[in-house]
Amino acid sequence: DYESLSLWPERIVIAAPQDHPIAKKPFVLWRDLADEALLMSCHGFGPELKKMMTANATETGSSLRVEEHAADDEALLSLVAAGRGLVLLSSGAVREGNPDLAYLELRDTMGTSWVTFYACWKKEHNNPALASFLGMLRTHRSMVSSVPVPDT
């Protein structure tokens, strides 16, 4: 009953306090998160990241300590800077300029961990505004896909 349009991929990164041992690594593996408190928003992108975390923990045979908060990314990053845990973010949510935080790429056994954003809508929806919006998304997607994704 639904259609979807793949929009763009983003890398998954970890935000850690600058003085945390994990911040010294060149990148983070899912198994490196086994003993860490992972702060997660129960809003926005948080539930999707939680599913991804659960799937990777199951695959690696580890357990994760997830703390859910009714907070946005900025509030979670403040908790990270205060040493309360780590946060997973899409690379598009990274806000540079906080010297107390380090951002590290998250990898799995295949390499960089990615998330792809999609637009979804009901098939029978023939709203002209939706058609216009989807046209704009397709144009944006073609511009984004022409930018090469670096190999990591």
Side-chain angles (χ1 to χ4, degrees):
D1 293 340
Y2 290 88
E3 291 188 63
S4 65
L5 174 66
S6 169
L7 298 175
W8 63 83
E10 289 188 14
R11 292 176 300 126
I12 302 297
V13 297
I14 298 289
Q18 197 65 257
D19 60 353
H20 191 286
I22 217 165
K24 311 289 186 270
K25 295 177 170 257
F27 56 86
V28 178
L29 297 172
W30 282 97
R31 68 175 174 257
D32 296 334
L33 302 176
D35 296 323
E36 302 294 338
L38 298 171
L39 310 177
M40 188 74 26
S41 175
C42 55
H43 304 296
F45 191 42
E48 295 305 317
L49 282 173
K50 185 176 180 183
K51 287 179 193 173
M52 184 182 291
M53 290 169 44
T54 302
N56 278 285
T58 301
E59 186 176 307
T60 60
S62 59
S63 61
L64 299 175
R65 292 184 340 192
V66 177
E67 295 180 17
E68 290 189 68
H69 296 268
D72 63 10
D73 287 343
E74 293 301 318
L76 292 177
L77 290 172
S78 294
L79 292 173
V80 171
R84 298 272 313 273
L86 308 177
V87 170
L88 277 72
L89 302 165
S90 67
S91 57
V94 170
R95 301 293 175 256
E96 297 295 331
N98 187 336
D100 298 327
L101 297 176
Y103 294 99
L104 301 115
E105 182 177 281
L106 181 62
R107 295 185 181 178
D108 59 23
T109 57
M110 302 299 290
T112 303
S113 292
W114 294 87
V115 63
T116 301
F117 289 87
Y118 288 84
C120 300
W121 64 96
K122 285 188 171 188
K123 280 184 181 180
E124 71 270 359
H125 231 304
N126 56 5
N127 183 325
L130 175 63
S132 176
F133 181 64
L134 291 172
M136 182 187 72
L137 288 177
R138 285 185 179 95
T139 300
H140 178 75
R141 180 182 72 165
S142 67
M143 290 187 310
V144 170
S145 65
S146 67
V147 176
V149 176
D151 292 332
T152 53

